[in-house]
Amino acid sequence: MNPTALPVAVIGAGPVGLAAAAHLHERGIPFVVFEVGDDVATSVRDWAHVQLFSPWSYNIDPAARRLLEASGWVAPDGDEHPTGGELIEHYLVPLTSLPGIGSALRTNRLVTGITRAGTDKITTAGRSETPFQITTEGPFGPERTLARAVIDATGTWFTPNPVGADGRPAIGERHAADLIEAGIPDVLGRDRRRYARRRVAVVGSGHSAQNAVRDLAVLAERTPGTEVTWIVRRSDPGQMFGGKANDQLPERGRLGADAEHVVDNGVVQLVTGFRTDRITYASDQATLVAVDGRQVGPFDRIVNATGFRPDMAMLSELRVDVDPVLQSARALAPMIDPNVHSCGSVPPHGAAELAHPEPGFYIVGAKSYGRAPTFLLATGYEQVRSVVADLAGDHAASKDVQLILPETGVCSLDRTPAHAAPVPDRTTLITVPDAAGVCCN
Ligand SMILES: Cc1cc2nc3c(=O)[nH]c(=O)nc-3n(C[C@H](O)[C@H](O)[C@H](O)COP(=O)(O)OP(=O)(O)OC[C@H]3O[C@@H](n4cnc5c(N)ncnc54)[C@H](O)[C@@H]3O)c2cc1C
């Protein structure tokens, strides 16, 4: 069999997977997109009520824009900030309505495994000439599809970190699962009844936590009896609220400033230095117990905003090489490691930095960042442009990566006590030059 006659398989029809599809279509490379949901962007639908902090000008992939504009689509105002729902409605749905993209989309397909056909991880002979085999679960049961290359754009949304501070579920966390919700519940809309007049804990300190805290503070002001406690691991809030007015994305800066404001004005109680060890559950309420024995609660609801991690299970028979700390692409790790900095920018990178020992296999999008929290769509769009150029044999275009991202305004070495641990040793890492000349340390 000639693998080059096979399609490229894109796993995940989120913004980055669909951008990969647009680039593949533009270059005339056959492809198929597998998506577990019954429509595109299943993850983004979960946070459809959340306003993006990047404006439209950052949120549309250039190849997708070219295809859409050729069909008569008019781009939204580049300075406006869409919600997740508007990103889907005004950009991703029109993109998949284009025949060249929509005809390649296979929804309701959960990818459960990617291998070299008939070959496990150990076998080397003939490996790079052997097609990839993608196993999916769907309405017709398990199916297998052969592909010449695989672009994994499955994100990290479905694998949240646990509440437990050590990265494992806290003792009792599973027992209290009915009270715990990962992500950013729509407390002012769809999920309001579950949160109004309740005692609510938000655990975590990133942008998702800030979003949840900001919305819950509004709910608390509108609905007496709603109490909000914000629980973070760091003992000094330090840079937790971001660069605020110094952030090059003003809406991202405003998010941190608003979160700080609702703490300062007492609507939200901030508990710092709290490393959750166990959760006790009684009478439909949960109390969090820290490693140092402190207790907070009881709570009726817990919002778990502790971040996400990549699901590597479906890749177990591929030769995948990720950073041991972040589980990100190895070359990116030193630039995005929150132990070191919180810049929000990353040097330009593409197919070369995203390659694995398994030729023809790439992890892109939010999943390429592993556990690191600062991924931006613009990064993913440039990643897939480079990867698809490489697959097309256009190595000059693949290497010519261009990416200048807006910084958070806190682009410095983080020396707060909670982050005083030594920077992980990555002496074996490939280093990527800081082409923008502005980031980091
Ligand atoms: C609340 C929130 C706000 C954000 N705001 C911004 C912002 O303002 N600006 C910005 O640039 N970035 C923002 N991001 C970061 C990032 O751009 C988004 O997370 C974005 O959705 C990542 O796109 P993706 O395509 O890599 O992954 P996802 O959007 O997560 O898409 C992955 C897709 O893969 C599918 N999938 C997963 N597993 C499988 C499987 N096994 N088989 C088949 N399909 C599968 C999913 O259903 C999903 O459709 C935000 C993130 C969050 C969570």
Side-chain angles (χ1 to χ4, degrees), residues 77 129 155 190 234 424:
D77 182 339
E129 296 81 49
R190 183 191 61 203
R234 55 180 82 203

Side-chain angles (χ1 to χ4, degrees), residues 1-7 128-131 146-148:
M1 183 181 302
N2 174 14
T4 56
L6 295 169
S128 54
E129 296 81 49
T130 306
L146 298 180
R148 62 171 274 213

Side-chain angles (χ1 to χ4, degrees), residues 10-18 34-37 39-44 47 50-55 58-59 81-82 87 92 106 109-113 136 152-158 184 207-208 211 249 308 311 314 364-368 373-381 383:
V10 178
I11 321 294
V16 179
L18 290 173
F34 295 108
E35 165 57 44
V36 63
D39 207 335
V40 295
T42 308
S43 319
V44 179
W47 50 272
V50 177
Q51 187 194 62
L52 274 78
F53 45 70
S54 56
Y58 282 100
N59 302 335
H81 295 76
L87 186 78
L92 298 176
R106 307 279 179 273
R109 298 295 194 290
L110 170 69
V111 173
T112 54
T136 53
D152 178 353
T154 52
T156 56
W157 181 254
F158 296 119
I184 310 174
H207 292 131
S208 293
N211 261 302
L249 287 177
F308 300 88
D311 182 357
M314 69 180 178
V364 299
K367 189 170 180 176
S368 72
T374 46
F375 177 78
L376 290 175
L377 288 169
T379 305
Y381 296 158
Q383 289 178 342

Side-chain angles (χ1 to χ4, degrees), residues 58-326:
Y58 282 100
N59 302 335
I60 297 172
D61 170 74
R65 179 188 288 269
R66 286 190 291 273
L67 294 177
L68 281 162
E69 287 181 343
S71 75
W73 173 84
V74 177
D77 182 339
D79 294 330
E80 297 288 323
H81 295 76
T83 62
E86 289 164 345
L87 186 78
I88 295 172
E89 184 187 350
H90 299 305
Y91 167 48
L92 298 176
V93 166
L95 181 60
T96 42
S97 300
L98 299 177
I101 306 293
S103 59
L105 185 61
R106 307 279 179 273
T107 53
N108 291 306
R109 298 295 194 290
L110 170 69
V111 173
T112 54
I114 307 169
T115 63
R116 293 282 184 180
T119 302
D120 68 7
K121 195 175 204 157
I122 292 180
T123 309
T124 297
R127 190 168 189 88
S128 54
E129 296 81 49
T130 306
F132 289 95
Q133 178 171 264
I134 293 99
T135 304
T136 53
E137 292 285 342
F140 311 110
E143 291 174 314
R144 286 188 156 152
T145 305
L146 298 180
R148 62 171 274 213
V150 176
I151 300 175
D152 178 353
T154 52
T156 56
W157 181 254
F158 296 119
T159 39
N161 290 326
V163 173
D166 62 5
R168 302 285 306 161
I171 291 173
E173 184 169 342
R174 292 198 176 100
H175 192 49
D178 285 352
L179 304 188
I180 302 173
E181 190 159 0
I184 310 174
D186 184 6
V187 300
L188 298 173
R190 183 191 61 203
D191 306 318
R192 182 188 173 102
R193 291 179 65 180
R194 285 208 301 280
Y195 288 87
R197 299 187 180 81
R198 300 282 195 278
R199 299 188 65 182
V200 184
V202 177
V203 186
S205 62
H207 292 131
S208 293
Q210 291 175 0
N211 261 302
V213 161
R214 184 166 70 173
D215 287 355
L216 282 162
V218 173
L219 183 66
E221 286 184 326
R222 288 182 190 164
T223 322
T226 309
E227 293 178 28
V228 188
T229 305
W230 188 4
I231 298 166
V232 300
R233 283 195 297 197
R234 55 180 82 203
S235 46
D236 176 352
Q239 296 179 340
M240 187 173 103
F241 300 111
K244 292 173 276 186
N246 294 327
D247 195 316
Q248 291 176 355
L249 287 177
E251 286 301 316
R252 188 170 60 187
R254 194 189 319 271
L255 180 59
D258 287 352
E260 187 173 33
H261 177 69
V262 297
V263 170
D264 287 348
N265 71 11
V267 176
V268 171
Q269 307 304 313
L270 180 65
V271 178
T272 57
F274 194 96
R275 308 176 77 82
T276 306
D277 181 50
R278 56 184 65 222
I279 299 177
T280 59
Y281 176 63
S283 309
D284 289 334
Q285 291 189 314
T287 298
L288 275 60
V289 184
V291 174
D292 61 13
R294 276 188 295 159
Q295 296 191 14
V296 282
F299 298 108
D300 304 302
R301 305 286 310 166
I302 297 172
V303 177
N304 174 14
T306 55
F308 300 88
R309 55 182 60 174
D311 182 357
M312 306 303 276
M314 69 180 178
L315 310 179
S316 64
E317 295 310 313
L318 294 182
R319 298 178 179 182
V320 177
D321 184 27
V322 293
D323 179 73
V325 181
L326 298 182

